[in-house]
Amino acid sequence: MAVSWASALGALAVCTGLAFVGLRREGRVSTAGIFWAITCALFVAGYHVCYKCALETGASPSAVFAAALGLAFPISVAWLGRCGVARVVEELRAHPRALVSAGVLCTASFLVFLVALAHGGAGAVMTLRNASVLFALVFAWAMGERPDRRQI
């Protein structure tokens, strides 16, 4: 596969963003920040490649989603520990409608992503999905949050 100028510029933009993530307020580079940003990027790319590979075998998007949740659930519960699980249950009891609605919306959006990934190119689908960060910024602005220049 040949790399176009647009693809190279896009990769450069992502790398520049990773560098900014690693900057401290004083403008110095945080080695730990760069390490974690790159580590996160590799894991994000890795699990999306795994989703695409699974979908290319003919697996249905809903089955891939169910398998991912089945794997993630026990890991999440172990990571949260007893206190964390208790807090989740407490929040669910306090705000059931909001949390269930958020879960349904997240499930629907991820299934749409998996269907798009099954039928489209991974690069185009991932670019569109990652653009959601921009939408989140717009929504935050509409809700009254004012991110500083560094956050933008």
Side-chain angles (χ1 to χ4, degrees):
M1 177 174 91
V3 177
S4 68
W5 281 103
S7 297
L9 286 174
L12 180 62
V14 170
C15 290
T16 303
L18 286 172
F20 277 114
V21 167
L23 288 178
R24 293 186 182 160
R25 289 210 182 270
E26 306 86 34
R28 295 184 320 213
V29 174
S30 163
T31 306
I34 295 290
F35 169 78
W36 284 113
I38 290 171
T39 301
C40 288
L42 291 173
F43 273 94
V44 168
Y47 73 74
H48 284 97
V49 167
C50 291
Y51 286 139
K52 182 67 176 175
C53 289
L55 293 166
E56 284 179 344
T57 67
S60 74
S62 56
V64 171
F65 181 68
L69 282 183
L71 180 64
F73 183 75
I75 294 170
S76 296
V77 169
W79 183 265
L80 285 171
R82 254 186 209 181
C83 292
V85 171
R87 281 186 53 212
V88 169
V89 170
E90 183 180 310
E91 285 298 317
L92 187 56
R93 284 185 182 142
H95 309 286
R97 218 176 286 145
L99 290 177
V100 169
S101 297
V104 167
L105 289 172
C106 287
T107 298
S109 70
F110 196 71
L111 282 172
V112 167
F113 163 73
L114 288 175
V115 169
L117 190 60
H119 298 288
V125 174
M126 289 303 303
T127 301
L128 183 60
R129 182 171 186 235
N130 290 333
S132 66
V133 173
L134 296 175
F135 293 114
L137 185 62
V138 170
F139 289 141
W141 189 274
M143 293 180 348
E145 291 185 28
R146 298 297 178 252
D148 61 25
R149 282 181 28 200
R150 182 173 175 262
Q151 290 171 313
I152 292 172

